[in-house]
Amino acid sequence: MTDTATTTTNEIDHTTTFLKDKHINYITNLDVKKDTFEYWVTEHIRMNGMYWGLTSLNLLGALEKMDKEEIIQWILSCQKPNGGFSGNTLHDDHLLSTLSAIQILVQLDSLDRIDINPVIEYIVKLQQEDGSFFGDQWGEIDTRFSYVAILTLSLLGALDRINVNKAVEFIDRCKNFDGGFGSIPGAESHAGQIFTCVSALALVNRLDLVDIDKLGWWLCERQLPNGGLNGRPEKSSDVCYSWWVISSLCTIDRLNWINTEKLKNYILKCQDNETGGVADKPGDIPDVFHTYFGISGFSLMGQFTDQVETIDPVYALPIKTIKKLGLKAPWNKLI
Amino acid sequence: MKVYSIGIFKVAQGSKPVLLSIVYELSSFGFFQRGSVKEVSLFVSRETAGRTNVGERVSMEHTQTQKVCHTTVDAKGIGCTVLTDSEYPSRVAHNLIRVSMEEFYKAHPEQEWKGIQADTELPTPQLDQLLLKYQNPEEADPMMNLQKNLDDTITIVKKTVEQLGQRGEKLEEIAAKSDDLSFQSKAFMNNAERMNKCCGYV
Amino acid sequence: MSSNDNTEPKKLYDDLNLIFKNNPNINEIGFVISTKDYDGLENKPFVVVENKLGFSFLWLTKLYSFCFHRFIELKNDFDSLINEFLKIKVDDTIFKSTSDLIEKLIEATRNVLSINAENVTALNQRKKLIILEMVDHQTEINLLNLIFTKHPKSGEGWAHRKWIYTDYYKKTNQYLSYQIELDVCKRVAEIYPKNYYAWTHRWWILKNLSIELFLKDLELMEDWIKRNISDYCGYHHRYLILTTLFKIFFNIKDGKDPQIDEIEFSNQVLNENLFLEIWSKEFKFIEKVIKMYPGHESPWNYKRTISLFWLENSELISKSSHSNLLLPITSVYKECLFVHSIIQDNESSYYLKQKSFAEDYLSSIYQVYNKDYLGDSNFNLETLKQNYTKLITQLKKSNPDKINVFDYKINKFTK
C-alpha cells in the first residue's frame, strides 16, 4: 500500500512504468491454469473474458499471440440453434455473450465464419413493446441489454431491424434527475449503466437526450483524492471505472473535466509487478476484466500511445477495427 | 455507522502492547468471517496502540476497507482502542475511549494489572454495555456536538494506515510478523478485498 | 497440504447432499480457510455450526467443478426429456417416472448456486423446474434467501428473484409476500451496504404497492439513513418516494413509469398538510444529517437533488391552489442562508471538505436561479452573476483537478 520508489526484487517501478510485456504475458497465460477457483466460477462468462483478453492484446499489438482458429472454433461451438451465443460451450445463450462473440469475430476479421442472419433475428426478437430488451428468453430487462442489442446490430449493419425510437424512449425513462442513468426506470445512477445508456444513444444519434453538463459534472465527481474513480458517491475507487466513466466523458466530449494525469498514476499503481495484469485497487490480485479496463483507460486518455493503440469509447473496439468495418463514429475525432 | 470493538492494552515503550480486555460487536459480519475479523481487529488495535504517543488522540483510517482505528494512550500506560467504520464520528469514538478507560479503571485498580506481562482477559462487562450504547452516536452523545472542536487541546490526529509503519513498513509486512494473525487471518486479509470485489463475478 | 486432498469429488458431492438433507434449516453459507476453528482438530471439506454451512477452500474448486459437470449431465438428460414431451405431446406422467432425475437436478442446481450464484444456466434450469411445477416459488425464494447470505451482490440471483415474483403473479394472479421482499432487501443492504441490486429491487416491489406503504417505507428508512449516512442508495430511495408522492399529489402523469401513473390521488391518504409535512421534514432532516456528519458527499448530493427538484418545480407549485402553503418550504434565498450557516461554522470537523461541498451546492442553486422563472425579490441577476463568479473562482482554487469544469461553468453562466 505504501509507495516505494524501487522494489528490491524488480528493477522496474510499476508505479511509473506501463508494464506492456508483463500484461501480454499475463493474458496469454490465463488459460493455462485451468484448475483455480477463479477459473471455474467465471467459466460461464468465458466469452466476455475472451473479449476482454483478446481486445487488450489487440490494443497492445499482440493479437497474433492468440490461436485464431482455436478461438473461432470455440465461438462456433457456443452458437445455439436460436442464433444467440452462450458464455461457454455448455451454457445457455444470452445477449451479453452474443455481443462479445461478435466483437471477437470482427477483430479476428472472421465475421464471415458465421451466418449473421440468425444472430440478427435472435436480437430483434428480444425487443419488447416498451422498447426495452430482454437479456434472453427469461425476460430480465436492463439498459445494458439496450446497449448490447444496439451495438451488435450496428456491427452487423442491421440497426434498422429494431424499433429505434422505442428503444430510445425506454433509455430516456431510465434517466435520473442528476443527469445519470440506471438499469431500469427509477434505478439509481451508476457509472456502468451511464456508459451503456450514453453509448446506446450515441449509436442512434440521440445524444440530444443527455443533459451533458449535468452528467459531465456527476461523472467528474467520481474522481477521488487518490486519482482513481468510483462509480457512485462515497464508494471506493476501482479501475473498472477508468472505462465506464472515461468512455462516457469521451463520448460527451468532457474528458478534460477530470485530472487524467492523476488517473493514469492510479491505474499504474494497480498493475501487478510480478505477474502482470491490472487489479481493481493497488495491491489487489489482478484479473482479465480489470486488465482490459486499465489498458483501455490509458487508450482513451491518449496515454502510452507508443505502446497502446486507440480504442473507441462507444464501440469498445480498436479504432482500426471500426475503420475497417466502415462504421460511423461522430463522437470520435479520430475516425 | 458501526463500532466493532473496544480494547484495553498495557502499553510500554519498547515492547508490544499487552492485551488486558477486549469486546467485539461482529453481528454485521457473516458467521464464518467473524473469527478472522476478530483476529484482524486485535492485530490492528495492538499495532496502533503500540505506535501512539502518550496523550495523543489518533484516528487512523484504512481507506480501502473504510475502517478506522481510534486510539489513546494515557500517562499510566493504559491504551484504549476503538474500531469503527468510516462513518462513525471520531469525536464520539474518542468520547467512547474516555468513558471506556474510566470504566476500566473503576473495575480494575492498578495493582491488578501493573505486573501483567502477557495477554489476559480482565472481565469488564461495562465495556459490553458501552459497545452497545455507542452503536448510535446520537444517543450516546446527546449534546450532539458530534463534530465540534470545542476544546483546543483535544485535537484528533488523523492518519491513514500508510503511516502506521515506521520506515515505510507496509501493512502486509507487519501482519506477516504478527502472532495475532493465524495463517487463516493473513490469508483472510489478503482475500478480504477479493471477496467484496465490485465487479460481480467473484 | 492435508492428506484429505485425495478425497474423491463424488464423495464430497454426496456428503454435501447429505448435509442439506440432514440439516433442513440451514440459514447461512460461508467459505472458510479451515474448518479447524469450528469443529475438530483438522481441516475438513464442510462444517455445520448452528445451522450455518461452511465450505472449506481447500476442496472448493474440486467440489464445484464436479457439481457443475454433474449438473450439466442431468440438465442434458432433463432437456431431452422436455423435448420429447413437447414433440410427442405426451401427458406429463412422463415426468413422474423420472422423479429421481428431477430430484437429482434440484440438488445439483442447488449445490452449484450455493457456491456460484452467478451460474445463469443453473438458474435457468430452475426456472424450467418451476414452470413445470417441480419446484414451487416459495421454496425458490427461500433458496435465494440462503444464497444471498454468501452472495448478496449476485446480479443473476436478483434477476432470478424478480422472475420468480413475476411468474408467481402470472400463475396465481396474486403476489408473493411483499413484506418478505422488503425485509430481505433491508437485511441484504445491512450485510453489504450500497447494494445496488437490493435497493433497485426494493423500489421495484414498492412501486406496485400503495401510498400508505410509500409513507411507511419513508418512515422506516429514516432510521436506516441515520445508521448509514454515506450510503447513497438509501437517499436515492427516499428521492424516489418523495418525487412519486409529488407526482401523485400534483397529478403529473409523465409516462415515465406506467405503474406510478396509475396510482390515483386520494385526499384522504395524502392531503395537503401531510404533503407539506413530508417535504418540509425532509429538508430539515437532510440539513441535520449534513451538520451532524460533515464532509460526506452523499447527504450533500441528496440535498442538491431534492432542492433542485423542488426549485425547478416552483413554477408548477406557484400556479397550484397549494402555493401559499407549499412555496415557503424552500427558496433560493433560504438555501443561500443554509449554505451561509455551514460556511460560518468553521469549528466543524472536516471543515474544508464541508465548505467545499457547501460552495459547490450553492453554485448549483445559483444555476437554477438563472432560469426564466425568477420568484425571489431578494436577488437581482447582476449581483447573482457576480456572486456566482466569485464562488466558482474560489472553488477553482480548492479543486484544481476540476479547473476546466469551473471555467466552463463561468462562461456558461455569465453569458
Side-chain angles (χ1 to χ4, degrees):
Chain A
M1 267 159 266
T2 42
D3 287 354
T4 48
T6 52
T7 62
T8 48
T9 52
N10 283 291
E11 291 309 318
I12 303 171
D13 175 15
H14 72 280
T15 65
T16 56
T17 314
F18 177 61
L19 305 175
K20 176 177 176 174
D21 291 331
K22 289 203 173 155
H23 295 320
I24 293 175
N25 266 342
Y26 173 78
I27 297 168
T28 47
N29 282 332
L30 277 170
D31 230 27
V32 172
K33 278 199 296 173
K34 283 188 168 49
D35 253 331
T36 60
F37 186 60
E38 188 113 20
Y39 178 92
W40 279 105
V41 295
T42 58
E43 67 78 47
H44 67 286
I45 49 168
R46 193 62 75 230
M47 192 64 73
N48 302 43
M50 180 64 74
Y51 158 75
W52 294 320
L54 187 138
T55 312
S56 301
L57 286 182
N58 202 358
L59 292 173
L60 298 178
L63 193 54
E64 79 284 351
K65 294 214 185 252
M66 299 224 108
D67 187 331
K68 177 174 165 175
E69 191 54 35
E70 188 185 354
I71 293 173
I72 293 173
Q73 287 303 326
W74 171 73
I75 291 179
L76 293 175
S77 79
C78 293
Q79 189 166 28
K80 302 295 164 185
N82 63 9
F85 289 81
S86 57
N88 208 335
T89 316
L90 300 171
H91 285 277
D92 293 345
D93 55 271
H94 197 283
L95 199 48
L96 295 173
S97 21
T98 303
L99 169 65
S100 295
I102 300 297
Q103 283 174 313
I104 295 168
L105 289 173
V106 301
Q107 290 184 73
L108 294 178
D109 246 325
S110 302
L111 203 50
D112 55 350
R113 295 293 294 270
I114 59 163
D115 178 2
I116 64 172
N117 288 310
V119 185
I120 295 171
E121 291 307 318
Y122 174 75
I123 299 173
V124 169
K125 285 204 192 92
L126 290 170
Q127 185 168 32
Q128 303 307 302
E129 263 183 60
D130 65 356
S132 66
F133 283 84
F134 281 177
D136 61 13
Q137 62 172 307
W138 299 108
E140 186 192 352
I141 291 178
D142 189 311
T143 46
R144 284 180 298 155
F145 306 148
S146 304
Y147 166 66
V148 166
I150 289 171
L151 175 54
T152 315
L153 292 175
S154 300
L155 295 174
L156 299 177
L159 201 46
D160 55 337
R161 295 290 315 278
I162 54 163
N163 187 333
V164 172
N165 287 334
K166 269 293 185 182
V168 165
E169 203 180 285
F170 177 74
I171 295 172
D172 195 38
R173 285 171 54 208
C174 298
K175 191 165 63 186
N176 289 316
F177 194 72
D178 52 17
F181 294 83
S183 55
I184 53 172
E188 190 189 341
S189 297
H190 182 292
Q193 308 292 151
I194 288 170
F195 160 75
T196 58
C197 292
V198 168
S199 303
L201 292 173
L203 284 166
V204 297
N205 289 313
R206 292 305 310 274
L207 283 175
D208 58 288
L209 289 173
V210 177
D211 187 330
I212 289 180
D213 290 348
K214 239 184 192 171
L215 179 59
W217 178 249
W218 190 95
L219 288 168
C220 81
E221 283 183 323
R222 301 300 112 240
Q223 187 158 41
L224 297 171
N226 66 10
L229 306 175
N230 63 21
R232 288 184 285 149
E234 295 205 74
K235 294 211 79 175
S236 49
S237 53
D238 187 313
V239 158
C240 65
Y241 296 109
S242 314
W243 172 263
W244 310 125
V245 173
I246 297 301
S247 150
S248 307
L249 284 172
C250 286
T251 308
I252 61 172
D253 195 21
R254 294 284 184 275
L255 182 59
N256 67 349
W257 281 19
I258 63 146
N259 186 325
T260 51
E261 190 62 24
K262 272 190 171 173
L263 177 59
K264 177 183 93 177
N265 290 329
Y266 178 80
I267 303 174
L268 285 173
K269 285 196 203 128
C270 295
Q271 299 179 105
D272 189 309
N273 213 345
E274 282 175 44
T275 60
V278 182
D280 63 336
K281 297 175 168 63
D284 276 1
I285 298 169
D287 57 59
V288 70
F289 182 72
H290 290 94
T291 301
Y292 164 78
F293 289 124
I295 292 172
S296 48
F298 287 140
S299 176
L300 287 174
M301 294 191 286
Q303 292 154 351
F304 304 113
T305 49
D306 54 334
Q307 301 175 76
V308 182
E309 297 186 26
T310 30
I311 191 168
D312 180 81
V314 171
Y315 289 104
L317 288 166
I319 287 188
K320 63 187 179 199
T321 311
I322 311 296
K323 285 186 173 163
K324 206 162 199 183
L325 292 169
L327 296 167
K328 293 206 170 64
W331 54 82
N332 194 333
K333 302 183 186 79
L334 297 172
I335 294 182
Chain B
M1 193 71 63
K2 295 187 180 78
V3 188
Y4 300 115
S5 73
I6 306 173
I8 308 281
F9 294 86
K10 186 168 158 241
V11 184
Q13 274 282 9
S15 57
K16 231 178 196 182
V18 172
L19 178 67
L20 297 178
S21 190
I22 192 162
V23 292
Y24 301 96
E25 172 31 61
L26 302 174
S27 59
S28 60
F29 293 97
F31 180 81
F32 293 104
Q33 293 179 296
R34 287 170 201 171
S36 288
V37 170
K38 258 192 187 175
E39 288 188 2
V40 173
S41 300
L42 177 57
F43 161 72
V44 170
S45 300
R46 197 195 302 268
E47 296 299 324
T48 316
R51 288 170 169 78
T52 301
N53 299 321
V54 172
E56 211 179 24
R57 281 173 167 70
V58 171
S59 289
M60 187 194 70
E61 177 162 7
H62 183 230
T63 28
Q64 266 171 221
T65 54
Q66 301 185 318
K67 306 273 188 291
V68 188
C69 181
H70 312 267
T71 327
T72 284
V73 177
D74 71 12
K76 292 213 181 97
I78 291 294
C80 179
T81 61
V82 161
L83 277 181
T84 68
D85 65 10
S86 58
E87 283 185 356
Y88 201 87
S90 322
R91 187 155 189 85
V92 181
H94 282 278
N95 262 1
L96 176 55
I97 287 179
R98 186 177 48 82
V99 300
S100 298
M101 288 172 89
E102 280 170 16
E103 290 301 326
F104 179 79
Y105 278 121
K106 271 194 234 161
H108 304 288
E110 195 165 342
Q111 315 97 280
E112 219 187 305
W113 48 263
K114 201 164 177 190
I116 291 179
Q117 301 288 356
D119 280 2
T120 187
E121 181 56 43
L122 301 177
T124 322
Q126 296 86 339
L127 292 183
D128 278 300
Q129 288 165 19
L130 286 172
L131 187 55
L132 193 59
K133 179 177 178 195
Y134 272 75
Q135 292 302 325
N136 185 342
E138 255 182 280
E139 269 178 44
D141 191 341
M143 294 293 285
M144 290 211 289
N145 290 316
L146 297 179
Q147 299 289 0
K148 293 284 179 242
N149 295 324
L150 290 172
D151 185 344
D152 278 327
T153 62
I154 305 178
T155 39
I156 295 167
V157 178
K158 297 205 167 70
K159 294 180 175 177
T160 52
V161 79
E162 283 81 22
Q163 297 162 293
L164 174 65
Q166 291 134 345
R167 299 182 297 280
E169 268 177 299
K170 287 191 196 180
L171 187 65
E172 296 95 333
E173 288 163 4
I174 303 171
K177 293 184 225 160
S178 168
D179 293 327
D180 282 328
L181 298 173
S182 58
F183 169 75
Q184 281 92 291
S185 293
K186 287 173 193 172
F188 172 82
M189 276 177 74
N190 286 328
N191 274 322
E193 291 304 295
R194 281 187 58 202
M195 290 303 137
N196 283 326
K197 233 176 181 167
C198 80
C199 316
Y201 66 94
V202 178
Chain C
M1 284 291 199
S2 164
S3 60
N4 287 327
D5 215 29
N6 297 323
T7 315
E8 279 301 308
K10 175 132 199 351
K11 175 157 194 324
L12 292 171
Y13 186 81
D14 291 339
D15 286 347
L16 181 58
N17 284 337
L18 208 58
I19 286 175
F20 274 116
K21 188 160 182 228
N22 294 337
N23 299 277
N25 295 317
I26 287 184
N27 58 26
E28 188 174 331
I29 292 173
F31 296 166
V32 299
I33 292 171
S34 170
T35 59
K36 246 197 292 189
D37 301 325
Y38 302 95
D39 166 35
L41 300 162
E42 52 176 19
N43 190 7
K44 290 190 266 189
F46 309 105
V47 63
V48 180
V49 182
E50 297 171 31
N51 279 321
K52 296 168 201 314
L53 168 60
F55 292 78
S56 173
F57 267 117
L58 200 56
W59 288 270
L60 200 52
T61 309
K62 211 191 269 187
L63 171 63
Y64 181 76
S65 69
F66 184 88
C67 286
F68 176 63
H69 285 116
R70 187 80 185 102
F71 156 64
I72 293 293
E73 274 169 23
L74 294 161
K75 165 178 146 65
N76 291 337
D77 290 344
F78 185 78
D79 284 349
S80 357
L81 211 61
I82 296 187
N83 288 338
E84 286 305 306
F85 171 52
L86 294 171
K87 250 193 283 176
I88 313 173
K89 301 261 186 249
V90 298
D91 64 83
D92 62 5
T93 51
I94 193 172
F95 290 112
K96 294 201 171 77
S97 63
T98 55
S99 59
D100 190 45
L101 168 64
I102 288 162
E103 199 54 50
K104 290 197 163 86
L105 186 58
I106 292 173
E107 281 174 349
T109 48
R110 174 205 59 205
N111 294 344
V112 164
L113 293 168
S114 297
I115 301 172
N116 181 15
E118 291 284 279
N119 193 317
V120 282
T121 307
L123 288 168
N124 291 346
Q125 206 64 16
R126 290 191 76 94
K127 291 181 179 76
K128 293 178 195 168
L129 291 169
I130 292 171
I131 287 176
L132 292 166
E133 295 178 21
M134 289 153 189
V135 172
D136 71 272
H137 298 78
Q138 192 53 59
T139 306
E140 198 68 358
I141 291 284
N142 294 341
L143 177 63
L144 276 175
N145 291 346
L146 175 62
I147 288 173
F148 284 157
T149 60
K150 175 64 191 143
H151 311 282
K153 270 195 4 153
S154 166
E156 301 296 345
W158 284 99
H160 186 62
R161 197 180 184 100
K162 279 205 183 74
W163 182 89
I164 298 163
Y165 202 79
T166 310
D167 191 66
Y168 185 82
Y169 183 72
K170 267 195 219 157
K171 295 246 170 67
T172 65
N173 232 29
Q174 288 178 321
Y175 288 112
L176 285 168
S177 160
Y178 68 79
Q179 193 55 57
I180 290 181
E181 295 307 291
L182 296 178
D183 289 342
V184 166
C185 288
K186 186 150 183 268
R187 194 165 60 241
V188 172
E190 304 260 10
I191 308 169
Y192 198 90
K194 300 169 187 159
N195 187 327
Y196 192 82
Y197 299 112
W199 285 97
T200 308
H201 192 77
R202 189 178 193 86
W203 179 243
W204 186 78
I205 296 286
L206 194 66
K207 70 180 181 182
N208 288 322
L209 309 176
S210 62
I211 299 178
E212 288 95 334
L213 288 169
F214 292 168
L215 296 173
K216 191 169 172 212
D217 219 46
L218 201 60
E219 206 184 301
L220 191 68
M221 288 300 122
E222 200 178 300
D223 175 67
W224 201 91
I225 299 254
K226 283 189 204 162
R227 293 182 295 111
N228 296 275
I229 55 118
S230 69
D231 187 333
Y232 195 76
C233 292
Y235 295 111
H236 180 78
H237 188 72
R238 294 184 76 80
Y239 162 78
L240 289 170
I241 297 175
L242 282 162
T243 54
T244 300
L245 291 172
F246 189 96
K247 280 195 220 176
I248 294 171
F249 186 76
F250 284 104
N251 203 29
I252 300 168
K253 299 194 194 288
D254 58 9
K256 201 160 172 181
D257 205 320
Q259 277 161 312
I260 304 293
D261 288 351
E262 273 172 28
I263 301 178
E264 281 310 318
F265 170 73
S266 154
N267 198 54
Q268 282 171 316
V269 179
L270 187 65
N271 64 56
E272 178 177 69
N273 289 312
L274 182 59
F275 187 74
L276 169 72
E277 192 190 321
I278 290 167
W279 272 90
S280 48
K281 251 180 92 178
E282 194 70 10
F283 276 94
K284 291 199 184 82
F285 172 62
I286 191 63
E287 286 181 9
K288 189 171 170 210
V289 172
I290 285 174
K291 285 185 168 160
M292 272 177 37
Y293 302 103
H296 279 278
E297 185 188 357
S298 300
W300 276 107
N301 261 28
Y302 179 58
K303 172 122 183 80
R304 180 173 73 199
T305 304
I306 54 169
S307 296
L308 291 181
F309 179 85
W310 189 266
L311 292 173
E312 289 186 13
N313 277 299
S314 300
E315 191 167 359
L316 176 103
I317 298 169
S318 71
K319 289 187 178 146
S320 77
S321 57
H322 314 279
S323 64
N324 286 335
L325 193 64
L326 296 177
L327 275 181
I329 284 181
T330 194
S331 63
V332 171
Y333 183 63
K334 280 192 173 164
E335 293 308 315
C336 290
L337 289 180
F338 170 70
V339 168
H340 188 71
S341 73
I342 296 288
I343 295 179
Q344 290 293 85
D345 187 8
N346 56 12
E347 285 181 339
S348 162
S349 309
Y350 301 105
Y351 177 65
L352 290 176
K353 236 182 166 185
Q354 185 81 327
K355 180 167 176 273
S356 183
F357 281 131
E359 288 169 343
D360 169 70
Y361 172 72
L362 186 60
S363 74
S364 307
I365 297 296
Y366 281 155
Q367 275 173 237
V368 174
Y369 200 74
N370 196 22
K371 296 202 192 303
D372 293 331
Y373 176 75
L374 302 170
D376 204 313
S377 55
N378 281 296
F379 290 106
N380 77 57
L381 202 53
E382 265 320 302
T383 323
L384 196 76
K385 280 186 179 172
Q386 284 169 21
N387 288 347
Y388 186 78
T389 309
K390 234 193 310 179
L391 180 65
I392 298 291
T393 312
Q394 258 166 262
L395 281 167
K396 253 169 79 168
K397 283 200 207 116
S398 52
N399 294 278
D401 290 345
K402 296 195 169 65
I403 196 168
N404 295 321
V405 192
F406 292 128
D407 282 339
Y408 177 91
K409 284 191 171 200
I410 290 183
N411 281 337
K412 194 165 180 215
F413 192 83
T414 53
K415 270 209 185 76

